[in-house]
Amino acid sequence: MKQRILTLTSISHFINDGNSWFLPVTFTFLIEYLGISKFLIGILGGIFFGISALTSPLITRIADKTSSYSKIMGIGILLWGFSLILFGISIQINSLPFIILSVALAGFSSTFYHPLGAAMLSITYKGNAGIALGINGSMGSLGRAIYPTLTLALFAVLHRNMTLTAVILGIVSLIAAIPSLIINVNLASKDDPKNVTKGNMKSPIIVIILLTITALLRSVFTQGISQFLPTLLVENYGYSYNVNLGEAISIALAAAIVGQPILGLLSDRVGRRTIYGISTAGAVISFLTFLKIPSIILLSLFGFFTFSAFPLMLSIVGDFVPRNSASFANSLVWGLGVTGGGVIGPVIVGILAQMYNLILATELVSVVGLISALLIPFIPRPPKRSKVPLFG
């Protein structure tokens, strides 16, 4: 059963996180080929994360009541496929309302995996088997790393046909959803009575609030940058909209494949709160340095620090709440924090880029990331020292 859970969640993690980077790459296409403004691109990014933030608690509540985590997770991947196909069609007919609708559906699709996958792994492994969970986390990182190059490679092979590119990737998602939908997996997320936290619940509530705030501010920075990163490279650093752009982004994102296990091991020795803070500060510093010294190494450091720390957030939550509340608590930190910040970040960068320029916009949003790093030391230390489950 454990191997089955790991396989299903790893496939879904790969597809979900890969699809999430299809959009920033195609946002640059919308700017360069369809003449859509950066302000509107920021709004599209905000819509994507806004829909996800609003629906995440609802989806996880339904999953907690039914324990049908796998099937509901599969529905999310299935919807990803439909959203990409709709996105491709909307480009073909050059319809802004359909583009908005497809991005909104993609945002809803992205709601499913992270809280549900985290809960499935938490219930199944109960904080053990770090190698297996590290595989799952790396599969998400691998999806993020591959899809920018894959998208632009298909775009080139298909003679710059973004519609057909989106349809092909949508079909891949439809196929990837089938195992989670047809394989029967029901998890009973019951806690051992000895492990249920009793008494004063004030500390867990404070931790969840602080984690949600720091995650939101961190995400304002990271998603504000990420949604415009391909456009930044094309407009300001000499990249063309071709496979080389995808390769540069893929190299940067690939750093998290090894980054998650490394930060996980360090967090076991130094403390996950400390490593979480270091990763946030490191992401800000490496990006600001990249703006002055455009090196692929610095861009990779940004990817290393940015996309390796998600498991640390969810692991801190898992140390404070009972396992049968894990998915709902994760949905608050992920849904309201990470995706809530994702609503604000792209909109801010889009507005500032439209008013001034993209470099100044990203510099200003980096200040928000620094504030997040400064708030992290106020998060209480976790009461237990289970290994970090690497499923970010």
Side-chain angles (χ1 to χ4, degrees), residues 43-122:
I43 297 298
L44 289 175
I47 289 172
F48 173 83
F49 287 102
I51 295 295
S52 182
L54 290 173
T55 56
S56 182
L58 173 63
I59 295 299
T60 51
R61 276 297 191 186
I62 294 173
D64 283 341
K65 289 181 179 180
T66 63
S67 294
S68 298
Y69 295 99
S70 178
K71 284 183 171 56
I72 296 175
M73 182 177 70
I75 291 172
I77 301 302
L78 191 73
L79 291 174
W80 257 121
F82 289 128
S83 70
L84 295 187
I85 292 171
L86 178 60
F87 186 84
I89 294 172
S90 68
I91 291 175
Q92 180 65 33
I93 63 177
N94 196 11
S95 170
L96 182 58
F98 275 98
I99 290 175
I100 294 172
L101 179 61
S102 65
V103 170
L105 181 58
F108 180 61
S109 307
S110 72
T111 297
F112 290 72
Y113 174 73
H114 280 104
L116 297 182
M120 289 175 68
L121 293 168
S122 178

Side-chain angles (χ1 to χ4, degrees), residues 95-327:
S95 170
L96 182 58
F98 275 98
I99 290 175
I100 294 172
L101 179 61
S102 65
V103 170
L105 181 58
F108 180 61
S109 307
S110 72
T111 297
F112 290 72
Y113 174 73
H114 280 104
L116 297 182
M120 289 175 68
L121 293 168
S122 178
I123 293 167
T124 302
Y125 289 98
K126 297 178 173 62
N128 300 314
I131 293 177
L133 299 178
I135 292 172
N136 176 272
S138 293
M139 284 295 289
S141 300
L142 186 63
R144 288 194 299 266
I146 287 176
Y147 263 62
T149 297
L150 177 61
T151 299
L152 289 174
L154 285 172
F155 181 66
V157 169
L158 298 172
H159 306 287
R160 297 183 175 271
N161 189 330
M162 185 56 76
T163 294
L164 191 53
T165 298
V167 169
I168 290 174
L169 293 178
I171 292 172
V172 170
S173 294
L174 296 180
I175 295 171
I178 294 174
S180 294
L181 292 171
I182 65 175
I183 296 176
N184 186 28
V185 175
N186 288 311
L187 299 176
S189 55
K190 294 181 180 179
D191 283 281
D192 186 334
K194 296 179 181 178
N195 295 331
V196 176
T197 304
K198 297 181 179 180
N200 185 14
M201 293 297 293
K202 181 179 180 181
S203 179
I205 292 173
I206 291 174
V207 170
I208 292 171
I209 291 172
L210 284 174
L211 268 174
T212 301
I213 292 172
T214 57
L216 186 144
L217 295 176
R218 189 182 196 274
S219 187
V220 168
F221 161 64
T222 58
Q223 294 302 339
I225 301 300
S226 296
Q227 299 303 305
F228 282 93
L229 182 59
T231 304
L232 179 72
L233 295 179
V234 169
E235 291 193 350
N236 299 99
Y237 294 99
Y239 285 85
S240 299
Y241 193 73
N242 54 34
V243 177
N244 290 336
L245 172 65
E247 289 173 346
I249 298 171
S250 291
I251 290 171
L253 297 177
I257 298 174
V258 295
Q260 287 197 24
I262 290 173
L263 292 191
L265 291 172
L266 289 174
S267 70
D268 286 340
R269 291 169 171 77
V270 180
R272 65 199 60 180
R273 183 188 63 168
T274 301
I275 298 301
Y276 179 45
I278 290 173
S279 71
T280 303
V284 175
I285 293 170
S286 58
F287 178 75
L288 289 175
T289 307
F290 168 78
L291 291 179
K292 305 301 179 184
I293 309 172
S295 163
I296 193 65
I297 295 175
L298 289 171
L299 194 61
S300 295
L301 281 176
F302 169 73
F304 176 90
F305 286 121
T306 299
F307 299 105
S308 298
F310 295 136
L312 298 176
M313 283 186 286
L314 302 183
S315 296
I316 294 173
V317 173
D319 280 345
F320 281 90
V321 301
R323 293 194 184 278
N324 61 349
S325 301
S327 64

